[in-house]
Amino acid sequence: MGFMDGTSGKRIERLDLTEALVRDVDLRDARFERVTLTGTRMRGVELGHMTIDGDIEDLVINGVDVAPYVYAELDRRYPDRAKMRPADPAGFRTAWDILERLWDGTVERARALPPERLHESVDGEWSFIETLRHLVFATDAWVRRVILGDPRPWHPLDLPFDQMADVPNVPRDRVVRPSLDEVLALRKDRMATVRRYVDQLTEEQLDAHTTPVPEPGWPDSVSYPVRECLLIVLNEEWQHRLYAERDLTVLEG
């Protein structure tokens, strides 16, 4: 944990404040990353010029649960967003059609930038190349490992999420700088894997649970609902494309 007390510009990392009482604290211009606030109660607070990005539900402000309004507005802004919550095999095929189309446009936008810019981080987030590498990891984890049963589906360019503990045999190389074409070739292969699976998906398969993978790794070697695995992949693809589009705007500027 990094912690400096009594001064501005504090850096606090890996600190467990479960059930703590935080009183008379000045958090102006503070930045929170990968912070869990589930069950948090705030009283007598002053919120202004504040930005919150994340998985939000049951957020009550002055007696009003604002989460449904937020999600309804996001669905209004992005009409395809609701289709990322499919209920049947045809819906999953439609969702993947949409993601393939949207990512084609995002990649073309990225190609217009100098190659070195695609390795740049915007505001501490993953670079465009790292984002693509993470999506390869998500497909390897939830489709190739969990659903298809490959105990070691990893490619050396796979990039797990930052807060994941190191797992034997799972790569995590933050130094390597592959080209866009190299990563896109890997992405094409993994997206084709998902394409083949959803094209043949049946109601029975969608409602089934996976067989635990015999080798330890990530995710844990337990059984998962196939539906949840596929929804995780859709969410990863949807959200990270939005992040990529947001950061490309900055890089283009």
Side-chain angles (χ1 to χ4, degrees):
M1 178 192 73
F3 178 66
M4 293 164 48
D5 189 21
T7 63
S8 61
K10 306 174 185 69
R11 185 178 182 89
I12 303 172
E13 297 179 352
R14 297 184 296 280
L15 179 64
D16 187 351
L17 292 176
T18 302
E19 298 183 356
L21 173 62
V22 181
R23 177 179 290 162
D24 297 328
V25 174
D26 189 341
L27 292 174
R28 281 176 293 184
D29 297 321
R31 175 170 176 157
F32 294 80
E33 297 179 358
R34 299 188 295 276
V35 175
T36 300
L37 294 173
T38 302
T40 299
R41 291 170 293 169
M42 301 181 182
R43 296 171 180 163
V45 300
E46 296 180 10
L47 295 179
H49 308 292
M50 186 174 182
T51 300
I52 301 176
D53 290 308
D55 187 9
I56 301 170
E57 58 182 80
D58 301 324
L59 175 60
V60 180
I61 298 179
N62 292 336
V64 179
D65 184 358
V66 302
Y69 298 100
V70 173
Y71 283 106
E73 174 61 15
L74 289 174
D75 284 348
R76 186 193 68 79
R77 293 185 184 185
Y78 307 105
D80 287 329
R81 183 175 181 270
K83 296 175 183 176
M84 297 300 114
R85 305 187 291 272
D88 55 29
F92 278 93
R93 287 188 277 274
T94 297
W96 199 250
D97 290 341
I98 292 169
L99 288 170
E100 287 179 332
R101 169 175 55 81
L102 292 175
W103 268 110
D104 283 346
T106 300
V107 168
E108 285 307 306
R109 185 179 176 190
R111 283 193 183 279
L113 288 169
E116 63 274 11
R117 302 231 70 184
L118 302 182
H119 290 284
E120 291 185 20
S121 169
V122 175
D123 200 24
E125 301 292 341
W126 278 332
S127 69
F128 187 79
I129 296 291
E130 288 172 331
T131 295
L132 297 182
R133 291 175 57 201
H134 175 69
L135 291 175
V136 171
F137 166 79
T139 303
D140 283 348
W142 292 106
V143 178
R144 299 181 74 219
R145 174 176 163 83
V146 174
I147 294 179
L148 299 180
D150 184 348
R152 298 188 182 185
W154 320 112
H155 186 278
L157 290 179
D158 279 21
L159 185 62
F161 53 98
D162 288 343
Q163 59 267 49
M164 188 184 108
D166 288 337
V167 177
N169 301 316
V170 180
R172 187 204 298 272
D173 190 341
R174 292 298 301 269
V175 178
V176 65
R177 291 169 66 90
S179 68
L180 177 61
D181 286 338
E182 185 178 358
V183 176
L184 286 178
L186 190 56
R187 273 280 283 164
K188 182 179 180 180
D189 176 80
R190 298 314 196 256
M191 293 186 81
T193 298
V194 181
R195 175 86 270 168
R196 288 191 297 270
Y197 186 80
V198 298
D199 279 350
Q200 300 173 8
L201 184 64
T202 65
E203 290 279 3
E204 184 179 10
Q205 290 173 316
L206 187 57
D207 292 333
H209 282 64
T210 65
T211 301
V213 180
E215 287 191 25
W218 198 94
D220 291 335
S221 298
V222 299
S223 180
Y224 298 88
V226 170
R227 184 185 304 272
E228 287 188 14
C229 297
L230 293 176
L231 287 173
I232 288 171
V233 173
L234 292 185
N235 183 66
E236 288 282 306
E237 293 281 348
W238 176 266
Q239 289 298 136
H240 282 288
R241 196 194 71 86
L242 291 182
Y243 302 151
E245 289 278 337
R246 173 200 64 195
D247 293 348
L248 286 173
T249 299
V250 176
L251 294 172
E252 289 166 344

